[in-house]
Amino acid sequence: MHDQEKNILQAIADHLGIAPEDVDRGSLLRDELNLGPIELNDLLHALSQKFDMIFHPEEIENVKTVGDLIVLIEDNLIG
């Protein structure tokens, strides 16, 4: 795991108030982390501020797992 991925996982864990080891790429945001639409929106807002980026609605509609979220953030950081 590279540093950027660790930073993203840490940011997700911090926002959710859980240990980073309880978050992995395969975790389902809705089912395993119990994020409803409002909680997911709050998480995305926090991550967009932390990593200084903007998520577009069409980008986030297919985000189902932590791994999807990591790829989305990394793609935004590169672009």
Side-chain angles (χ1 to χ4, degrees), residues 3-4 8 15-16 20 28 41 47 50 57 61 64 69 71:
D3 288 344
Q4 190 62 54
I8 296 167
H15 181 79
L16 299 177
L28 294 168
N41 194 45
L47 293 172
K50 177 167 179 59
E61 56 187 38
K64 305 282 187 243
L69 198 49
V71 169

Side-chain angles (χ1 to χ4, degrees), residues 44-63:
L44 290 168
H45 180 72
L47 293 172
S48 69
Q49 288 190 316
K50 177 167 179 59
F51 295 104
D52 194 27
M53 64 181 58
I54 296 170
F55 295 114
H56 301 286
E58 64 274 7
E59 291 177 317
I60 59 173
E61 56 187 38
N62 294 320
V63 173

Side-chain angles (χ1 to χ4, degrees), residues 10-76:
Q10 182 69 53
I12 293 169
D14 288 349
H15 181 79
L16 299 177
I18 59 178
E21 51 272 11
D22 291 338
V23 180
D24 67 49
R25 289 186 74 96
S27 296
L28 294 168
L29 296 170
R30 187 174 303 262
D31 297 333
E32 293 178 70
L33 298 178
N34 297 316
L35 297 180
I38 293 170
E39 292 86 2
L40 181 57
N41 194 45
D42 286 349
L43 174 61
L44 290 168
H45 180 72
L47 293 172
S48 69
Q49 288 190 316
K50 177 167 179 59
F51 295 104
D52 194 27
M53 64 181 58
I54 296 170
F55 295 114
H56 301 286
E58 64 274 7
E59 291 177 317
I60 59 173
E61 56 187 38
N62 294 320
V63 173
K64 305 282 187 243
T65 67
V66 170
D68 295 339
L69 198 49
I70 290 170
V71 169
L72 177 61
I73 293 170
E74 288 179 336
D75 285 352
N76 272 287

